[in-house]
Amino acid sequence: MTIDTGAVLILVAAVAGAALGPLLRAQILHFAVPSEESWRRDCPRCGATLLPNTWRALPSTGRCPRCRQRIGPVPGLVEAATAATLALLAWRVSAPLPFAALCWAAVFGVVLAFVDVVVHRLPDRLTLPAAGGTAVLLGLSAALEGEPGRYGVALASGLGLAAFYLVLALIAPAGMGLGDVKLALCVGLAAGWFGWPVTVMAAMAGFLLAGLYAVVLLVTGKVGRKDHIPHGPFMLLGALVAIVLAA
Ligand SMILES: [Zn+2]
């Protein structure tokens, strides 16, 4: 019997992603609060202190361990999203350090996407470490492999995509925020590691997916023309699609 190491790695990544779910659920509950409120540590239903420190885990059932009421995302959804994302990255990216950098970005990305859907914000406490960790891990890879040019493209791509979103945020502050600008740093770095065209493709895929989603919501009458659709999840999804296609 032969064992396909690639398939084993994909499976390990999927299991690790699912296992991270309860930890990420705690982060989502912690950060999914309106900007005028302080980070949440209590159950929004019964007030029980669930997160005395931020590294607690919350059950995958999506229910409060004390009052059993639904809190946070739908059962299994965070686990499925993280497992699928890490498995896709393991399938397409074999170099260890770039894979670690993308996993770092992906784990923060899952939390950010859920937080953005709930409260329409992308906290600095998540976007900045996401970009920082990705930059460090890719930089380490570039230094060890002697690829300074590739790292330069990734850095320029992160800054370039952030500048692009900054222009959008200045032109249309209702549609795009500074959270999107800071998220673009991480997204541009990750996509730019695979070259400029991948960054362009990532951004275009993000807008395309957001547009399709908006059309579906409008057609089904779920939203009106004035409703705001968070762009963060689509920016992240667009980058994942572009990286999976191009890596
Ligand atoms: Zn509770």
Side-chain angles (χ1 to χ4, degrees), residues 208-223 229 234:
L208 189 68
L209 291 166
L212 286 173
Y213 181 70
V215 167
V216 169
L217 289 185
L218 280 169
V219 168
T220 55
K222 292 238 165 57
V223 292
I229 294 170
F234 296 103

Side-chain angles (χ1 to χ4, degrees), residues 182-202:
K182 286 168 234 172
L183 178 61
L185 277 174
C186 176
V187 165
L189 268 164
W193 180 253
F194 303 96
W196 274 111
V198 182
T199 306
V200 175
M201 192 160 78

Side-chain angles (χ1 to χ4, degrees), residues 15 27 36 102 109 111 130 133 187 190 196 200 209 230 241:
V15 171
Q27 298 303 312
E36 64 276 12
L102 293 173
V111 175
V187 165
W196 274 111
V200 175
L209 291 166
V241 169

Side-chain angles (χ1 to χ4, degrees), residues 10 21-22 38 43-44 52 66 76 90 138 163 183 187 213 228:
I10 293 169
S38 53
C43 168
R66 199 171 86 170
L138 288 179
L183 178 61
V187 165
Y213 181 70
H228 175 66

Side-chain angles (χ1 to χ4, degrees), residues 43-48 50 64-69 71:
C43 168
R45 305 286 184 129
C46 71
L50 300 176
C64 168
R66 199 171 86 170
C67 69
R68 319 300 299 167
Q69 294 284 309
I71 50 166

